[in-house]
Amino acid sequence: ATVLLLMRRETKVLVATADGRTSQHIANVLCLSLLTIEAHRRHLLTKFGVNNTVLLIRQAAQHGLMQRSLELEVKTEVTIL
């Protein structure tokens, strides 16, 4: 099993992406640059070992991450079997 450590902002970007939010919208809400949001998305794809957003969301949902709120204040550990 592999344990992934998602940072708070990565988790927020993941949940917002799953909710259908655009990178620009997420950037505006989190008061971050568009490039920062896109970097978080790239990091998430790499961490989950997938190459597109659909597979990223599917993997995250399978591990219960879609039930997390955008207000998470802690790092999230995910175990991938």
Side-chain angles (χ1 to χ4, degrees), residues 53-76:
T53 302
V54 172
L55 293 176
L56 173 63
I57 301 306
R58 182 181 298 162
Q59 282 274 355
Q62 287 174 349
H63 300 329
L65 287 177
M66 296 299 92
Q67 297 165 4
R68 311 242 189 244
S69 103
L70 281 174
E71 299 305 318
L72 284 175
E73 294 299 328
V74 296
K75 296 175 185 174
T76 303

Side-chain angles (χ1 to χ4, degrees), residues 1 4 11-12 15 17-18 24-26 29 55-56 60 65 72 75:
L4 302 178
T11 303
K12 288 182 178 186
V15 172
T17 299
Q24 185 62 61
H25 177 83
I26 298 167
V29 169
L55 293 176
L56 173 63
L65 287 177
L72 284 175
K75 296 175 185 174

Side-chain angles (χ1 to χ4, degrees), residues 2-74:
T2 302
V3 176
L4 302 178
L5 181 62
L6 301 184
M7 304 309 286
R8 180 177 50 94
R9 288 265 166 87
E10 288 175 331
T11 303
K12 288 182 178 186
V13 169
L14 177 60
V15 172
T17 299
D19 198 33
R21 305 291 186 227
T22 65
S23 291
Q24 185 62 61
H25 177 83
I26 298 167
N28 292 343
V29 169
L30 297 180
C31 299
L32 299 171
S33 76
L34 179 60
L35 291 177
T36 299
I37 299 304
E38 291 173 351
H40 284 314
R41 285 188 187 219
R42 282 192 309 276
H43 295 155
L44 286 163
L45 291 171
T46 300
K47 285 182 176 186
F48 279 89
V50 295
N51 60 9
N52 64 60
T53 302
V54 172
L55 293 176
L56 173 63
I57 301 306
R58 182 181 298 162
Q59 282 274 355
Q62 287 174 349
H63 300 329
L65 287 177
M66 296 299 92
Q67 297 165 4
R68 311 242 189 244
S69 103
L70 281 174
E71 299 305 318
L72 284 175
E73 294 299 328
V74 296

